[in-house]
Amino acid sequence: MPLYPSVDLHMHTTYSDGLDTPTALVAKASELGVWNLAITDHDTVDGLPEGIEAGQRYGVQVMSGIELTVQFEDYRDIHILGYDFDPADAAFAACIQRMQEARLERGLEILRRVNRMLGEVGKAPIDEQRVLARAQGAVARPHLAQELVEQGCVETFQEAFQDYLVPCDVPKATLSPQDAFRMVAEAGGICSLAHPGTLSSDPVEIERLLTTFGRMGLAGVEAYHHCHQPSFIDFLCQCARQLNLIVTGGSDYHGRPQGAVLGFLDVNKPVPESVWTELMAARTP
Ligand SMILES: [Zn+2]
Ligand SMILES: [Zn+2]
């Protein structure tokens, strides 16, 4: 296996929790010789047009991607990677829009509850416009915690959560795996289960989840991820063959100085090229 990377199917930009803009990400990839990549921001496709346009300029093939968070049984945080879909598909775009609206509405409802609590103890409310500006429209609890600290209502993030954000919490809107598989399939794409090692280290449980999701429409499994040990990667590849799933992989790059390295799973371990060829072979014509 070559020691230089050429593909990466799991990367984040400033459109979710990454630090590089899509253009900066594609520029870095081309410098490294990563000619095939997928941008997979959390629950949004807003960075794709910029990424695809940059890809054309830098000669990098940028595939549409997304990392959706779904809930199943007691699992609250399952990540599903969607690939090679049409981000402009009307039903897909509407679904993403609804999810974004639900997240914003949740953030604002928590803000209203926090302000009610602050009012009860005679403290000044948090300014909604300031929070919206800080959060660039996607208000989440860390933004509110930051405001509470800056206003001097609490001293630390931890206190902000303990005293205000936990008591004022509003449940998240949920998406099922079936919903995710369906919306990606209807937009012409396929799905892979991201980093299964974060769900369980028990092979029996992983096999059960992959079998169940496979029946629901899952097409692949992300065996190659920095959180998996080599023996766990082998196990996932074996599972994939048995269950007729493709094997995907990527760095889960976020652009953080101490974090995952673009194109690599570990030192001297590039993401294998096979993940791109398998995905290309599996895509719907
Ligand atoms: Zn993830
Ligand atoms: Zn990710």
Side-chain angles (χ1 to χ4, degrees):
M1 196 190 280
L3 291 183
Y4 48 85
S6 60
V7 299
D8 199 330
L9 297 180
H10 191 156
M11 333 175 77
H12 297 275
T13 77
T14 43
Y15 283 84
S16 61
D17 56 353
L19 298 179
D20 289 344
T21 63
T23 305
L25 176 96
V26 170
K28 281 184 189 171
S30 82
E31 233 168 76
L32 288 166
V34 173
W35 304 118
N36 298 302
L37 61 86
I39 292 176
T40 54
D41 276 313
H42 293 285
D43 303 312
T44 179
V45 291
D46 290 350
L48 291 179
E50 182 188 325
I52 290 164
E53 194 270 328
Q56 284 159 357
R57 253 185 306 135
Y58 285 92
V60 174
Q61 195 170 350
V62 178
M63 182 187 273
S64 57
I66 192 165
E67 186 170 21
L68 294 163
T69 300
V70 304
Q71 289 76 29
F72 178 70
E73 296 173 350
D74 289 337
Y75 294 99
R76 307 322 295 159
D77 207 19
I78 297 178
H79 291 180
I80 304 282
L81 293 156
Y83 291 118
D84 199 35
F85 50 84
D86 174 11
D89 176 86
F92 185 87
C95 192
I96 296 287
Q97 170 96 24
R98 272 199 305 279
M99 283 161 53
Q100 275 166 359
E101 282 165 6
R103 262 201 305 278
L104 177 61
E105 191 34 56
R106 170 177 181 254
L108 293 178
E109 177 55 27
I110 296 172
L111 172 76
R112 286 190 282 270
R113 293 184 185 192
V114 167
N115 279 345
R116 228 174 289 144
M117 255 183 107
L118 288 169
E120 281 163 16
V121 292
K123 289 186 178 163
I126 293 175
D127 184 56
E128 186 173 311
Q129 291 311 316
R130 250 178 72 119
V131 176
L132 281 171
R134 184 196 290 282
Q136 292 179 310
V139 179
R141 296 197 298 170
H143 303 120
L144 299 175
Q146 214 169 343
E147 249 350 280
L148 285 165
V149 172
E150 279 179 23
Q151 284 201 12
C153 299
V154 289
E155 289 198 351
T156 63
F157 252 58
Q158 204 190 346
E159 249 180 81
F161 270 86
Q162 208 175 301
D163 297 353
Y164 292 95
L165 297 167
V166 170
C168 294
D169 200 18
V170 174
K172 276 185 191 174
T174 60
L175 189 73
S176 71
Q178 292 100 317
D179 292 337
F181 302 150
R182 197 181 315 116
M183 69 186 261
V184 172
E186 282 174 2
I190 58 176
C191 286
S192 179
L193 178 65
H195 43 70
T198 60
L199 300 175
S200 171
S201 55
D202 175 9
V204 177
E205 176 61 357
I206 293 297
E207 213 173 323
R208 180 185 77 88
L209 289 173
L210 287 173
T211 308
T212 312
F213 293 162
R215 289 197 195 107
M216 293 174 181
L218 182 76
V221 55
E222 187 181 51
Y224 296 102
H225 187 275
H226 61 77
C227 75
H228 297 156
Q229 295 294 319
S231 59
F232 197 69
I233 294 177
D234 289 346
F235 159 71
L236 289 171
C237 290
Q238 203 184 314
C239 263
R241 271 192 298 277
Q242 272 166 17
L243 298 170
N244 214 6
L245 300 170
I246 63 163
V247 172
T248 70
S251 64
D252 212 349
Y253 175 75
H254 283 76
R256 294 181 193 135
Q258 306 304 324
V261 179
L262 202 163
F264 284 88
L265 302 167
D266 201 346
V267 186
N268 287 335
K269 258 200 199 164
V271 177
E273 252 176 61
S274 60
V275 298
W276 181 265
T277 39
E278 282 203 32
L279 187 51
M280 282 293 129
R283 71 205 293 210
T284 27

